[in-house]
Each structure stands twice: as structure tokens, then as C-alpha cells.
Amino acid sequence: MGYEAGQFDVIVIGAGHAGCEAALAAARMGCETLLLTINLDMVAFMPCNPSIGGPAKGHVVREIDALGGEMGRNIDRTFIQMRMLNTGKGPAVHALRAQADKFLYQHTMKKTIEETEHLTLRQGMAEELLVENGACVGVITKTGATYRAKTVVLTTGTYLRGKIIMGELMYESGPNNQQPSVRLSQSLKELGLELVRFKTGTPPRVHKDTIDFDKTEIQPGDENPKFFSFETEYSDNEQLPCWLTYTSEETHRIINDNLHRAPMFSGAIEGTGPRYCPSIEDKIVRFADKPKHQIFLEPEGKHTSEYYVQGLSTSMPEDVQLQILRSIPGLERVEMMRTGYAIEYDAVVPTQLWPSLETKVVPNLFTAGQINGTSGYEEAAGQGVMAGINAARKAQGKEPVIIERSQGYIGVLIDDLVTKGTSEPYRLLTSRAEYRLLLRHDNADLRLTPTGYEIGLIGEERYAKFQQKKQYVEEEIERLKSVKLKAEQPVQDMLAELGSAPLQFTTDALTLLRRPEVNYSHVERFVPSPVELTEDMKEQVEIQIKYAGYIEKQLIQVERLSKMEKKRIPDNIDYSDVHGLASEAKQKLTNIRPLSIGQASRISGVTPADISILLVYLEHYNRVTAARG
């Protein structure tokens, strides 16, 4: 028999990277929140790569932090290596990446959750969503417990009807041999949600003492590491190196000889895999002309001998995996501790969601993370924080918060999912952001901290520090416009040293700083700031001055397109009444129900001609509605 187990404002199902952010956000906004997970020992678990960040993904972690989320703080506490990538390129693609101590990352996140007010963490298998009058009002677990809430957030990752595949072997399972969630998948279908089958995979793990590091290249962390959280000022974490090796001719021969045993090619796998994170067998087939592929050996933590073999994701049989490993330089005598595998799972078709991440079919039900068809911990956490914010706001009777594409990578990610959908596990890339010069790693706080403060996730003290930083940066840029540097010997000597042209006459410091080879520290020598600026502030001053022209162009573009975003489309429009629209456009617009003309214009299959017709129709519609009103 079932029983009533508790009443909450928000229930979050699943405690992976999306679930942790959703639950923390809702609780910190004052909502009584329940975080329900199949296994308490798997909170914030990293079933694949023990790392956070990288291109676009690192930007998302900074944005989560700017909004008041937890991932940035947590990785800053638990990293074992920190590196800034792409430093040879412009600031728009600079990206921070950290190796995590996988176990410490979990324990630290779990401790944060356990110590957060208004947040209850409980073990339980959610089997059925409770729906009354068409809206979601709670969840029923396997033990018969009924938990009720105003809103529910589903963050089930790869657990929905999870199936592990390894060569000829297949069995129902969540990641890392955890229990899968089977009944819940059925419950979603019964509620009218359309599901798709996706696949992802993970490489084998090997024992550190069986690696010959002399045959590999060391990859150390940065000497003076930067951090993900704007709150982290210092860390004494000891850094561990990663190591680089390559596949060999022998590796490629073994794989080609065993393709008939690879589930990817034998038809055993029905789910679509991630294009940007292919398995090693897929890489060998697709890039047959490449003699070798990079393999990184990454420690999983300080207190374990397990190493993650990055670049060797595979679902080959166990015996073939060992042969493959031993054909790689440095791994000739390696011992495999865990086998790589592919995992298939159910995901929700994300065009069934509003930009708030609430489902259109079932009001009060939100979804976030891999259930929405994404790949990666960072993409999951970015959706998680937004789903948590919006579930809390709905429970409080407030309007949702939507991050625009011009405001953040989180905005790009969610808009891509709900507007275009995805036919494969979606991965965020810098190339997906049309405003990437504005969406930089360095300025996530300037873009999103005011939003975090407004919704109550950023405290007064942090906000005051943020405002002071903003003020100091603006004042310093103004000051550099007015301070003059004379064409005197010390300045000329410095310019000669930098290979820069000498000054012909007195110039202002801002003009000098625009030169590519000159940076803030050079200018500071001659005209030091009257206030003490942090490294962070100095970086901001330099970037804003050097890239002013490009930034200005993008801001004009944003302004022009924001007019389209402001043209709202009433929810009750019947697109079959709009004469002249192509039938594909009618079908797509009816299905997605865009909130604005801007969103409508990004739907694949909706042409500029369809948008023109829609604009004319809306003008008429609004006139008629106003006359009636």
C-alpha cells in the first residue's frame, strides 16, 4: 500500500549534475525542496570523464557561478589539475578546464546539499509522476511513497531504460552498473511525451602502476591557475599531471579485424551516438586516413590508482579492449580495472519544452540535463540551474527567467534545444554562439550576476563586490583615455623591446594599449592606477579596450535582432489560419509554439518569407484584439 510521504514546493528527481544545481537553486530561493536519487552514494557522480570545463563548457560553468550555482565553487575546491586552453587565440575562445578528484567532487557536493537549508536529500526510485487536472503534482516511488509538490524537475540523466552494451553482452543498467529507471520512462510516454533513444559511451580505466610513463608526454597544469568561481581567490590544491600518448598502426589493425564484433557496426546499438565524442572504433572507420589519434591518460583522483583513458571510448568486447590498450605506447603491460561500455537511454524530444524548460504537455513538470538530449556534465548543470530557478519561480507564482542567446551560452544551449531540437546527443561548441565575442569566459559575471542577484541566488556582499569591480573597470578605462604618455626614452625603450613602433608624439594610454603587443602591465609601469586593481579587473580593462571595435559591432547586431525577440507571439494563435504560410512552417510553428518572432525565425523549416507573412498576420491580429479589448 502507498502512503503520503511529504509535501514540498519543488521535487527534483535525480541527483546528477543537473539535479544538484536544480535542487540547490530552488532551496536557496526559499522553496522547500526534495532531491530524490536512486542511490545516495552517486550524488554528483562522474560516470565518464573526471573533468569539468573546456571550450564552451567552461563558459557555462562560469555562467552557472555568475547566477549563483554550485559547479564552479565545487570544482575549485576539488580540482587536481587546472589549465586555461586556447591561450594562443583571442579571449572569446579562452576556456578553463579542470581535472577533478572524482570522489572528492562527489563528497563535497553531497556535503553542500546536506547542509543547505530548505533541502531534503532522500534515496528512492521514482516510478510514476502524479498528475491531477492535467498538471504534475508529485511523484510515487517504488516503495509506494507519494511525495507532493507544486512543481517537479526531472533530471534522470542516462538512467531512463538504461542498457549497457559491451561487444555481444547487453544488460539493463544505469551508468557504472547502477539500477536503471524503467517504469518512469513508461509513465512519461503515458503522459503523452515523445521519447527518443540516444547512446553515449565511456573508455576503460587502467591501473596507474602498469603504465610506462616514460613512453608518454607529460601534460602539467598551469603554474598560476585561474578559477571557475568568481568567489575563489586562492587554492593550495596540489596539481597532478596528465599524460599524452597515441594509437598505433597495431591499434588500428586490431580494431579493423574485430569490427564484426563491434555493436556499433553489427546493428546491436539502436540509439544515436554523439558526433563530437565518437568511440575509437568510429574514429578509425571515419578517419581511415589518419595514422594515429591522441590518447590522454588522466588520474581519477589522489587516492585511487585508476586512470581514465581519454579518447578511447569503446563498446568493443572486453578481450578486444585489452588488446587495443596494449597496442598503445606506454600501455604495453597495462592492466584494465574497468571495461569501457556504451549505454543506451531514453531522452525527451526537447522541442516539447518551453524556454523555461517546463514541458508543454504537462504543466508544472520541468526537465533538465541528458534527459533533454544533451551530453556533458556542464550542459546538464547549466540546464539544471535554470530548471531549478524556473520551477521555484512557478511554485512562488512568478514569471520564468529566460537567458537570451546574446546573454549567455546557457541561453544558446536552451534555445537550440527547444527551438531546433536535436537528432543526436547535443554538445555545446563555441561555434554555436553567434555572439561569442560578447559571451567570453572573463565576463560571465558582468553578463549574469545582476540576474542572479535579482532572483535571490547572489547575496548582498557578493553583489557589492561585483558592483565595485564593474565601477573600477569603467573608471580605469575612462582614466586611460585621459592620461598621456610622452615620447620619452623609457617609453620608447619598452616599445622597442616589444617590437612595437616608437611614439611619434604624446599619446593617451588607451590608444597605446590598443596595440596588439602592448598589455596592461606595460602601460601600468608608467601610469599606475590610483586604486588597487585585481588581476581580474586588469584583464577586463585590457580586453574591453583591445576588442572595443568588435564588441561594438556585435552589440549593434544584438540590438537589431532584439527587436525580433521583443515581438511576442500570443500563445493561442492558430497557425492554420495564417494564409500563405508554407505547410512545413505551419506544422513546425504549431508544434514548437515559439514565444517570439526571434525564436520563430530560428526554427528549421521556417523561411524568411514565412516570417514576413507571420509579421503581417500579427499586426492584423493585434489590431483586432485591441479593438475588441
Side-chain angles (χ1 to χ4, degrees):
M1 282 292 290
Y3 70 102
E4 291 292 326
Q7 176 79 43
F8 296 86
D9 296 316
V10 179
I11 294 172
V12 179
I13 299 169
H17 304 283
C20 289
E21 293 295 345
L24 284 166
R28 286 167 175 167
M29 287 167 72
C31 288
E32 287 306 323
T33 305
L34 170 69
L35 178 55
L36 202 58
T37 175
I38 291 174
N39 184 349
L40 281 180
D41 301 328
M42 303 299 281
V43 171
F45 180 65
M46 294 177 161
C48 201
N49 198 333
S51 76
I52 297 286
K57 293 166 173 279
H59 294 65
V60 169
V61 183
R62 292 278 277 181
E63 291 175 4
I64 292 165
D65 185 74
L67 287 164
E70 196 59 33
M71 184 176 254
R73 281 190 287 246
N74 205 61
I75 186 62
D76 285 350
R77 292 183 191 117
T78 60
F79 73 88
I80 50 177
Q81 186 186 103
M82 192 74 84
R83 282 182 86 176
M84 184 66 84
L85 309 178
N86 299 332
T87 49
K89 298 175 182 173
V93 290
H94 288 183
L96 199 55
R97 183 179 186 272
Q99 284 298 127
D101 185 315
K102 178 174 173 169
F103 310 100
L104 188 59
Y105 185 93
Q106 271 183 272
H107 296 317
T108 309
M109 186 66 89
K110 183 167 180 262
K111 186 169 186 281
T112 300
I113 286 165
E114 288 169 342
E115 292 173 357
T116 297
E117 271 187 85
H118 308 296
L119 182 48
T120 303
L121 176 63
R122 202 161 285 176
Q123 185 164 295
M125 167 85 79
E127 293 226 313
E128 193 182 332
L129 293 172
L130 204 56
V131 174
E132 288 171 9
N133 302 321
C136 190
V137 294
V139 61
I140 303 167
T141 70
K142 196 170 192 167
T143 56
T146 294
Y147 296 99
R148 293 178 185 272
K150 295 170 186 169
T151 56
V152 174
V153 185
L154 268 188
T155 66
T156 50
T158 59
Y159 282 79
L160 280 188
R161 277 203 321 127
K163 183 206 275 185
I164 279 184
I165 303 162
M166 205 188 294
E168 297 87 6
L169 176 67
M170 283 184 213
Y171 55 94
E172 284 198 339
S173 173
N176 209 44
N177 287 334
Q178 291 300 302
Q179 281 187 74
S181 173
V182 180
R183 179 72 194 90
L184 189 58
S185 214
Q186 194 53 41
S187 175
L188 292 177
K189 277 185 184 163
E190 286 162 8
L191 292 173
L193 284 157
E194 188 190 340
L195 305 181
V196 284
R197 199 83 173 138
F198 279 168
K199 168 206 96 92
T200 187
T202 189
R205 313 304 198 268
V206 299
H207 198 295
K208 172 189 173 185
D209 297 344
T210 62
I211 300 169
D212 183 351
F213 290 106
D214 293 340
K215 292 184 179 174
T216 66
E217 298 166 36
I218 192 165
Q219 306 281 300
D222 291 343
E223 214 168 297
N224 299 306
K226 296 248 172 119
F227 304 111
F228 279 104
S229 175
F230 289 93
E231 292 187 291
T232 310
E233 289 172 3
Y234 167 78
S235 168
D236 58 2
N237 289 14
E238 178 201 347
Q239 297 205 56
L240 302 181
C242 297
W243 306 83
L244 172 64
T245 182
Y246 296 87
T247 57
S248 65
E249 264 183 53
E250 178 65 3
T251 313
H252 297 214
R253 186 195 61 75
I254 293 165
I255 290 169
N256 282 317
D257 286 355
N258 286 281
L259 282 180
H260 61 287
R261 298 182 68 195
M264 275 206 64
F265 298 99
S266 66
I269 289 179
E270 50 170 313
T272 310
R275 177 193 307 251
Y276 299 103
C277 188
S279 65
I280 189 67
E281 48 269 37
D282 199 14
K283 277 194 263 191
I284 301 299
V285 171
R286 271 167 52 190
F287 308 108
D289 54 321
K290 274 195 136 188
K292 59 182 185 178
H293 295 274
Q294 285 187 328
I295 301 291
F296 289 94
L297 305 172
E298 302 174 339
E300 294 228 319
K302 277 188 184 164
H303 306 291
T304 175
S305 293
E306 280 187 80
Y307 264 62
Y308 179 90
V309 188
Q310 156 90 321
L312 209 77
S313 175
T314 182
S315 56
M316 283 287 205
E318 192 173 316
D319 57 312
V320 179
Q321 289 191 33
L322 190 57
Q323 283 180 58
I324 291 169
L325 283 167
R326 290 182 174 171
S327 69
I328 293 167
L331 304 182
E332 293 86 351
R333 293 185 179 81
V334 85
E335 289 297 337
M336 184 163 64
M337 294 178 76
R338 297 184 205 232
T339 319
Y341 60 83
I343 182 166
E344 278 189 350
Y345 55 95
D346 284 348
V348 166
V349 173
T351 50
Q352 299 169 102
L353 309 173
W354 296 112
S356 63
L357 295 178
E358 184 177 11
T359 64
K360 294 170 185 172
V361 183
V362 186
N364 303 343
L365 175 65
F366 294 74
T367 58
Q370 277 185 279
I371 188 174
N372 287 346
T374 54
S375 67
Y377 312 142
E378 304 83 356
E379 287 92 336
Q383 293 170 71
V385 77
M386 294 315 299
I389 288 167
N390 288 328
R393 284 179 74 85
K394 180 127 198 215
Q396 293 165 343
K398 295 175 184 170
E399 286 296 304
V401 171
I402 312 293
I403 305 290
E404 300 292 340
R405 291 182 76 90
S406 55
Q407 271 185 295
Y409 273 92
I410 291 174
V412 173
L413 163 69
I414 293 173
D415 182 64
D416 276 357
L417 289 173
V418 304
T419 306
K420 299 173 185 170
T422 183
S423 55
E424 61 191 40
Y426 176 102
R427 180 181 181 172
L428 206 48
L429 307 162
T430 46
S431 59
R432 295 194 195 272
E434 61 273 44
Y435 307 119
R436 58 186 169 276
L437 269 177
L438 303 178
L439 311 181
R440 304 183 309 276
H441 162 95
D442 61 85
N443 70 351
D445 58 339
L446 297 173
R447 293 184 275 117
L448 293 171
T449 297
T451 305
Y453 175 68
E454 213 176 292
I455 58 184
L457 287 179
I458 297 284
E460 292 295 340
E461 191 186 331
R462 178 168 171 184
Y463 193 62
K465 274 180 82 171
F466 159 75
Q467 283 185 305
Q468 187 187 55
K469 170 186 170 175
K470 199 176 165 207
Q471 183 191 335
Y472 280 1
V473 168
E474 286 165 6
E475 285 173 358
E476 180 61 359
I477 292 171
E478 281 306 308
R479 185 185 77 88
L480 292 175
K481 277 182 196 170
S482 58
V483 294
K484 304 295 179 194
L485 283 161
K486 291 178 181 166
E488 292 170 341
Q489 207 51 50
V491 176
Q492 305 292 35
D493 289 347
M494 177 197 75
L495 292 173
E497 211 178 296
L498 296 172
S500 192
L503 288 184
Q504 300 302 321
F505 36 78
T506 298
T507 187
D508 62 80
L510 186 136
T511 303
L512 192 65
L513 190 47
R514 282 206 175 122
R515 294 187 181 190
E517 57 280 356
V518 177
N519 62 37
Y520 183 83
S521 63
H522 300 133
V523 172
E524 191 183 21
R525 268 191 246 168
F526 301 101
V527 285
S529 168
V531 296
E532 199 174 327
L533 301 180
T534 62
E535 287 307 312
D536 208 18
M537 292 174 194
K538 291 174 186 178
E539 177 189 43
Q540 203 47 243
V541 168
E542 188 174 320
I543 289 171
Q544 287 192 30
I545 288 171
K546 280 194 187 299
Y547 294 89
Y550 298 107
I551 292 168
E552 192 56 41
K553 271 185 195 162
Q554 287 226 319
L555 287 169
I556 291 165
Q557 199 185 349
V558 169
E559 188 50 45
R560 199 171 60 238
L561 291 170
S562 77
K563 289 173 187 157
M564 301 272 273
E565 300 299 332
K566 286 179 185 137
K567 282 198 167 77
R568 311 306 280 176
I569 302 175
D571 186 32
N572 57 355
I573 274 193
D574 183 351
Y575 290 100
S576 60
D577 284 352
V578 186
H579 299 300
L581 273 185
S583 55
E584 185 185 359
K586 281 183 185 178
Q587 190 189 342
K588 294 276 181 74
L589 289 162
T590 303
N591 181 22
I592 290 166
R593 284 148 71 197
L595 300 179
S596 68
I597 288 290
Q599 190 188 354
S601 69
R602 292 188 293 274
I603 299 171
S604 61
V606 175
T607 66
D610 294 321
I611 294 297
S612 300
I613 291 162
L614 193 53
L615 281 166
V616 172
Y617 177 86
L618 276 181
E619 217 164 290
H620 172 71
Y621 178 94
N622 291 335
R623 265 203 314 272
V624 170
T625 311
R628 280 185 194 145

